[in-house]
Amino acid sequence: MTKALITGITGQDGSYLAELLLKKGYQLWGIIRRSSSFHTGRIDHLYKDPHEHPKLALVYGDLTDGGNLSAIMNEIKPDEVYNLGAQSHVRVSFDMPIYTANTDALGTLRLLEAVRSMKKPAKFYQASSSEMYGKVVETPQTEKTPFYPRSPYGCAKAYSFWQTVNYREAYGLFACNGILFNHESPRRGETFVTRKITRAATRIKLGLQDKVYLGNLDARRDWGFAGDYVEAMWLMMQQEKADDFVIATGETHSVSEFLDEVFGCLDMDWHKYVEVDQRYFRPSEVDCLQGDASKAKRILKWQPRVKFQDLAKMMVKADMELAKQEKVLKREGLL
């Protein structure tokens, strides 16, 4: 039985990856940070029923604690390690650059060292990001496009990318990078622009909210479905040789286009409800990202399945259910 360990298992990608690996018969561990309250909502359906998934266990750990990571690796002895843990919000990284570097950059280095310390080193997957391209020098972006990060988050991810390559070349580790472009789902954090929009639009529709405040509406991104993208992560780890892959849809859409889709699903005109707030602009903007996943399609036989319009509908449907539940609770005086 293959054993895997996921950092960031309670996040969007971690939860979808956990589902995938459990379906494939893995014995699975997830690292979670110790806090005064549990933040396991995205994986509760997997973790709370031990009869349903007895192959999932959670352990306390932190990417800022290298000794703890080494102890976890040498106790569990996983075959595969997926590093999805990070301070993952680009705008927040400008407010917390040192913390972002400590977790996203040095955290990866600590984890690589922990893997290297194992008697039989695990295969290692690093969650790299399209934000590494930043001020893009060519469109679309491929595995050979130079990086030009425009945020502390992008810089930290670029550091992690090259450390992963270095450990592969210097120590012979099976270490690969998935350069994932934007990927969304109903499990996306509510501070990220797509989920912020679907959450607000459904609440506005039901009279729970009046406005939503956003930043740059002209920013263009390559948006896919997180459930599709975690499959690419797994496929990278099944190859005979470790390599780096761009994972993207190849399409680019603006924030305004996403607003069109979302509010259109609800028969509303978003111009009546959206206001631009300078607080949500980045100090240095990334205007357009568009990935070329030709290599992944050719070698991994991977294809994105969920289209942009269907992704918007999926997220609106899920958030409408949440908004309906919220309205009932408010009506009953429970909120």
Side-chain angles (χ1 to χ4, degrees):
M1 181 184 298
T2 305
K3 296 192 291 185
L5 182 141
I6 301 174
T7 70
I9 193 170
T10 59
Q12 170 189 251
D13 293 7
S15 66
Y16 281 111
L17 180 61
E19 286 180 355
L20 177 69
L21 297 184
L22 288 170
K23 286 177 182 176
K24 292 183 178 295
Y26 277 59
Q27 180 73 48
L28 186 59
W29 282 264
I31 291 181
I32 60 171
R33 286 174 294 173
R34 177 70 181 94
S35 65
S36 59
S37 58
F38 290 106
H39 300 283
T40 57
R42 294 184 180 95
I43 59 169
D44 279 349
H45 64 294
L46 301 176
Y47 184 67
K48 282 190 172 177
D49 186 352
H51 301 293
E52 179 71 19
H53 284 300
K55 296 177 181 177
L56 172 61
L58 301 181
V59 295
Y60 286 121
D62 199 299
L63 289 171
T64 63
D65 186 346
N68 168 257
L69 294 173
S70 291
I72 290 172
M73 291 299 162
N74 287 287
E75 179 180 349
I76 294 174
K77 300 178 176 63
D79 301 298
E80 298 175 1
V81 173
Y82 295 84
N83 184 30
L84 312 185
Q87 189 299 100
S88 59
H89 199 287
V90 178
R91 180 62 190 83
V92 170
S93 77
F94 285 98
D95 301 324
M96 305 176 69
I98 295 173
Y99 174 76
T100 300
N102 194 15
T103 53
D104 297 14
L106 294 179
T108 301
L109 181 58
R110 295 182 187 104
L111 197 57
L112 282 164
E113 273 294 283
V115 168
R116 190 167 75 93
S117 75
M118 298 170 65
K119 189 172 182 180
K120 181 185 176 184
K123 290 183 174 182
F124 181 84
Y125 170 85
Q126 169 60 21
S128 290
S129 168
S130 59
E131 287 289 333
M132 299 186 303
Y133 296 117
K135 189 175 180 180
V136 298
V137 299
E138 65 178 4
T139 299
Q141 294 87 53
T142 72
E143 293 82 5
K144 295 182 179 180
T145 302
F147 299 146
Y148 195 146
R150 299 265 284 172
S151 66
Y153 171 81
C155 292
K157 284 294 186 177
Y159 176 94
S160 292
F161 175 93
W162 286 117
Q163 285 290 11
T164 300
V165 172
N166 184 55
Y167 271 65
R168 181 170 73 219
E169 295 178 351
Y171 304 116
L173 294 186
F174 186 107
C176 58
N177 285 286
I179 308 173
L180 272 59
F181 281 64
N182 290 64
H183 45 290
E184 320 298 314
S185 76
R187 300 179 194 173
R188 189 60 144 149
E190 293 184 19
T191 59
F192 291 86
V193 66
T194 52
R195 185 75 195 289
K196 184 177 179 179
I197 289 169
T198 58
R199 194 81 175 93
T202 51
R203 295 185 82 248
I204 290 168
K205 182 71 174 180
L206 296 188
L208 296 167
Q209 183 173 331
D210 297 321
K211 297 276 188 181
V212 59
Y213 298 88
L214 302 173
N216 183 7
L217 303 187
D218 297 321
R220 302 184 68 84
R221 293 293 184 269
D222 186 327
W223 276 307
F225 172 52
D228 289 343
Y229 285 35
V230 299
E231 183 181 359
M233 299 177 189
W234 178 79
L235 287 169
M236 288 179 216
M237 296 283 263
Q238 311 315 308
Q239 304 304 302
E240 288 187 14
K241 180 183 176 183
D243 204 350
D244 310 315
F245 295 89
V246 164
I247 303 300
T249 67
E251 297 181 6
T252 182
H253 299 275
S254 67
V255 175
S256 293
E257 288 178 67
F258 192 77
L259 285 164
D260 286 337
E261 291 295 331
V262 169
F263 279 80
C265 289
L266 301 167
D267 296 318
M268 294 192 298
D269 178 1
W270 64 263
H271 296 87
K272 298 178 181 178
Y273 308 103
V274 175
E275 291 192 13
V276 173
D277 190 328
Q278 292 298 320
R279 290 178 300 171
Y280 297 112
F281 281 76
R282 303 177 186 179
S284 49
E285 283 288 340
V286 173
D287 297 319
C288 182
L289 294 173
Q290 182 179 357
D292 180 351
S294 298
K295 180 179 175 182
K297 292 175 181 177
R298 184 178 72 255
I299 296 175
L300 305 179
K301 310 302 180 189
W302 176 83
Q303 289 281 350
R305 291 186 289 269
V306 177
K307 302 296 184 184
F308 176 73
Q309 293 80 5
D310 295 327
L311 177 62
K313 290 175 184 176
M314 176 198 304
M315 294 176 68
V316 167
K317 181 179 179 181
D319 278 335
M320 179 55 78
E321 289 304 311
L322 286 181
K324 287 178 179 177
Q325 293 170 21
E326 181 184 355
K327 188 163 187 177
V328 170
L329 292 173
K330 282 199 169 186
R331 188 168 61 235
E332 295 178 355
L334 298 175
L335 271 183

